[in-house]
Amino acid sequence: MLSSARKAAAVARDLAEETERGRQLAPGVVAELKAHDLLRIGLTADLGGAEPTTAEILATAETIATGDASAGWCVSIAATSSLLGAYLPEKGAQEVFGDPGSVAAGVWAPRAKGEMVDGGVRISGRWSFCSGVRHSDWIFLGFVQDGQVRTAAFPTAELEILDTWKTSGLRGTGSTDVVAKDVFVPDHRLFSVLDGPPAGARTLQRFPLFGFFAASIAAAALGNARGAMTEFAELATVRKPTGSSRSTAERPATQSTFAAAEASLRAARGLYYQAIDDAWQAAASDEPVSVELRTSLRLACTHAVRTSAEVVSAVYDLGGGSAIYEDSPLQRRFRDAHTATAHFQVNPATFELTGRLLLGLPTETGQL
């Protein structure tokens, strides 16, 4: 899977400008991801999945993000959405993922209301941040029915896709709004993500679902930071600042800043994968993953995203005047990094949540 990810990363990097201009993944990137089956990597074996570990899934998304953050982000979101195949009733899972080419996106926030009718629910609402919806056949969307938060699987063809994704960064994710107008969803495409792991869950499904979601954002951020480091190193060996006979790489200030950024990125990445492995080992047992481990996971994910942004900022500054132009990869990396930090799963409020838990204060942990 990592070998396929490296190939996809190269294609994503070559087509990054096209992806950004189109405000969705370039067709060539989507085709490459589908060719390697990288948009369904969270599926169980009965739905055609290879059942990798959580770390393998996230390392795949991180690798693709080294080529382009938007591509890595969309792979992360697709992985998270494909995990939900295990939550669907069997009939619904086959309907959504039975076609080997079927891809799903998802927004779990309950932004709609559902009215129970014979055989299912009629749903109306509007959801934002629907990453990858334009290349997805299905989308999982949250709604409220009789005071209960539930999730429904919609064919994207039954929704109105709005052109709202006009942002500073992560433009290629196509995270636009969608609208449902009294759409009928049958019972076999309804479930809840708040009731714990599905029946018969294996280790991947017992891994904390909301923790996986946060980790998927961090995977894209870490890959983006690594990509920025690589692209700066390529630039620094040939670029000579105005009035200087030495390349940017030969300047002591560059060397010091670059080394410090490298240390920060490695440390954040190490903490991230250690927290993932700890939660995975716990998920492999029969006991629920503890609040302590879930707290460590969310802390590591938030730290990874915010450290990644600091790393990208450091090399962006080192890039000087050349980095300010829209055709500079460093400028795109900078905008992508600071867009990722706004995600609710890894924003500063997450430090407040984990800080309360670390201090032993009473805290709601249902979506930790």
Side-chain angles (χ1 to χ4, degrees), residues 1-13:
M1 200 160 63
L2 280 175
S3 176
S4 295
R6 285 189 284 270
K7 294 175 184 176
V11 173
R13 182 178 181 180

Side-chain angles (χ1 to χ4, degrees), residues 1-6 8 32-45 47-65 71-86 97 99-105 203-205 212 216 219 273 280:
M1 200 160 63
L2 280 175
S3 176
S4 295
R6 285 189 284 270
E32 182 73 10
L33 295 174
K34 287 188 172 183
H36 295 287
D37 202 24
L38 293 173
L39 293 172
R40 295 159 49 92
I41 50 180
L43 290 178
T44 52
L47 292 172
E51 297 196 8
T53 67
T54 296
E56 288 169 339
I57 291 174
L58 295 168
T60 296
E62 179 193 11
T63 299
I64 293 168
W73 184 285
C74 286
V75 168
S76 285
I77 295 300
T80 306
S81 298
S82 61
L83 283 174
L84 299 184
F97 291 113
D99 181 340
S102 181
V103 174
T203 305
L204 183 58
Q205 291 76 45
F212 189 104
S216 71
Y273 279 105
W280 177 267

Side-chain angles (χ1 to χ4, degrees), residues 3 88 173-174 187 189 194 249 261 279 311 331:
S3 176
L88 281 164
T173 63
D187 288 331
R189 286 198 262 117
L194 301 180
V311 166
Q331 202 234 55

Side-chain angles (χ1 to χ4, degrees), residues 2-3 21 52 91 101 130 133 136 152 182 254 274 364:
L2 280 175
S3 176
R21 285 196 306 272
K91 181 179 179 181
C130 300
V133 65
S136 298
D182 196 33
T254 299
Q274 183 61 60
E364 168 57 45

